[in-house]
C-alpha cells in the first residue's frame, strides 16, 4: 500500500512537472512571438520614420525651390519694371525729340519762306528801280542797274522782261547793236513770254531807225502772225498801214 501510494505521488509529480514544462514552452513561444512582433513594429516604425524624414527632406527641398523661384520671379519682375520704365522713358525722349525736330524743321521752312519772300520783294524792287531809270532817261545808271539785276538774279522769272528793258535802254541811248542783241534774246529764248511781241516791235523800231525798212516790215508781219491778240500787234497794224 505504501509502495502504491508513493508510485501515485511520483506519478502525480511527473504529470505536474510535464505540465510545468509544457507551460514554459508556450510562454517562451508567446514571448518570442511578442518579441518578433515588437521587432517588426519597430522595423515598420523605423521605415515609416525614414520615409517621413525622406518626405520631409523632399518637402523642404520643394519649399527651398519654391522660395528660390519666388525670388527669381521677384528679380525678373523688378528687371521687367526697370526695362519698362526705361522703354517708356526712351519713347518719351524719342517723342520729345521728334516734336523738337518737327518744330525746328517748321522754323527752318518758315525762315526759308520768309527769306524767299524777302528775296522776291528785293528782286521786284530792283526790277522796278531799273525800269524807272530807263523811263527817266538815265540810261547810264539804268545800264548799270540792269547789269546788277541780271548778276544778282540769274534764275529770275523776269529775265525776259529784264532783257526787253535792257534793249529799250540801249535803243534810247542809240546803242542799236546791243539793243538788237537784247531784243533777240527775248524772242529766241522766251518766245512765249508776254514781252516777246514787244521785243519784236523793238527790233522793228531799231531796223526802221537804222534804215532797214525790209527787216522792220518783216518783224511787224511776224508780230501779226505769231501774236495777233497782243497790244504789239495793234501797233504793228498801224505801222504797216502808215505811208512810207
Amino acid at each position: 500500500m505504501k509502495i502504491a501510494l508513493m508510485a501515485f505521488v511520483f506519478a502525480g509529480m511527473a504529470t505536474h512537472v510535464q505540465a510545468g514544462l509544457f507551460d514554459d514552452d508556450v510562454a517562451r513561444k508567446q514571448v518570442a512571438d511578442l518579441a518578433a512582433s515588437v521587432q517588426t513594429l519597430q522595423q515598420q516604425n523605423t521605415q515609416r520614420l525614414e520615409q517621413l524624414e525622406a518626405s520631409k527632406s523632399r518637402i523642404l527641398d520643394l519649399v527651398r525651390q519654391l522660395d528660390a523661384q519666388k525670388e527669381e520671379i521677384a528679380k525678373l519682375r523688378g528687371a521687367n519694371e526697370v526695362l519698362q520704365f526705361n522703354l517708356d522713358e526712351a519713347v518719351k525722349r524719342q517723342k520729345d525729340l521728334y516734336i523738337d525736330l518737327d518744330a525746328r524743321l517748321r522754323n527752318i521752312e518758315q525762315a526759308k519762306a520768309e527769306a524767299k519772300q524777302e528775296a522776291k520783294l528785293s528782286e521786284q524792287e530792283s526790277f522796278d528801280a531799273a525800269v524807272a531809270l530807263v523811263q527817266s532817261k538815265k540810261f547810264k545808271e539804268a545800264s548799270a542797274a540792269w547789269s546788277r539785276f541780271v548778276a544778282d538774279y540769274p534764275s529770275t522769272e523776269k529775265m525776259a522782261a529784264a532783257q526787253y528793258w535792257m534793249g529799250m535802254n540801249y535803243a534810247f541811248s542809240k546803242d542799236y547793236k546791243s539793243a538788237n542783241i537784247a531784243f533777240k534774246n527775248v524772242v529766241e529764248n522766251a518766245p512765249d513770254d508776254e514781252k516777246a511781241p514787244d521785243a519784236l516791235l523793238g527790233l522793228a523800231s531799231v531796223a526802221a531807225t537804222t534804215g532797214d525798212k525790209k527787216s522792220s516790215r518783216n518783224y511787224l508781219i511776224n508780230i501779226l502772225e505769231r501774236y495777233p491778240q497782243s497790244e504789239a500787234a495793234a501797233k504793228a497794224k498801224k505801222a504797216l498801214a502808215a505811208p512810207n
Side-chain angles (χ1 to χ4, degrees):
M1 182 69 177
K2 188 175 180 179
I3 294 171
L5 182 59
M6 291 178 66
F8 177 77
V9 171
F10 284 128
M13 291 178 64
T15 300
H16 180 70
V17 170
Q18 291 177 352
L21 291 173
F22 178 77
D23 291 339
D24 288 341
D25 290 338
V26 172
R28 281 195 294 274
K29 185 175 183 305
Q30 290 177 347
V31 169
D33 291 341
L34 182 60
S37 297
V38 170
Q39 186 176 4
T40 300
L41 288 172
Q42 288 177 342
Q43 291 175 350
Q44 291 177 348
N45 288 335
T46 301
Q47 292 175 353
R48 289 175 182 172
L49 287 173
E50 290 175 353
Q51 291 175 353
L52 287 174
E53 288 294 332
S55 297
K56 181 180 178 182
S57 178
R58 287 196 297 272
I59 290 171
L60 290 174
D61 288 339
L62 289 173
V63 169
R64 283 192 290 269
Q65 291 177 10
L66 287 174
D67 290 339
Q69 289 178 353
K70 287 180 180 178
E71 184 177 354
E72 186 66 23
I73 289 171
K75 289 180 180 179
L76 291 174
R77 184 178 291 112
N80 184 62
E81 290 176 354
V82 171
L83 289 174
Q84 186 62 46
F85 175 79
N86 291 336
L87 178 61
D88 292 341
E89 287 295 310
V91 170
K92 184 177 180 299
R93 286 195 299 271
Q94 189 70 22
K95 184 177 180 180
D96 293 341
L97 180 62
Y98 173 80
I99 292 173
D100 181 65
L101 180 61
D102 184 65
R104 289 173 182 267
L105 289 175
R106 287 178 182 274
N107 291 335
I108 291 173
E109 291 299 324
Q110 184 176 357
K112 285 183 177 179
E114 292 175 353
K116 187 175 181 181
Q117 184 64 27
E118 291 177 359
K120 283 185 176 181
L121 291 175
S122 177
E123 176 184 326
Q124 185 64 50
E125 290 172 356
S126 298
F127 182 88
D128 292 342
V131 171
L133 288 172
V134 176
Q135 293 173 337
S136 300
K137 298 182 180 182
K138 296 180 179 180
F139 304 127
K140 185 175 181 181
E141 293 87 341
S143 180
W146 286 120
S147 296
R148 285 195 304 272
F149 181 84
V150 172
D152 291 341
Y153 308 102
S155 301
T156 179
E157 295 178 356
K158 297 181 179 296
M159 184 58 72
Q163 289 288 337
Y164 167 76
W165 281 105
M166 288 173 70
M168 292 296 291
N169 189 64
Y170 288 132
F172 287 145
S173 29
K174 298 181 180 182
D175 184 355
Y176 299 120
K177 182 178 179 180
S178 296
N180 276 334
I181 293 173
F183 288 140
K184 285 181 179 180
N185 280 337
V186 179
V187 175
E188 294 174 0
N189 298 325
D192 296 328
D193 191 87
E194 62 180 7
K195 285 296 182 181
D198 292 332
L200 274 173
L201 192 61
L203 286 170
S205 178
V206 169
T209 301
T210 57
D212 190 354
K213 295 182 179 180
K214 182 179 179 180
S215 294
S216 177
R217 181 178 178 82
N218 288 336
Y219 285 132
L220 293 174
I221 293 172
N222 198 355
I223 294 171
L224 294 176
E225 291 175 346
R226 296 175 64 179
Y227 310 102
Q229 304 301 321
S230 65
E231 292 182 6
K235 294 178 181 179
K237 284 181 182 179
K238 289 182 179 180
L240 288 170
N244 293 332

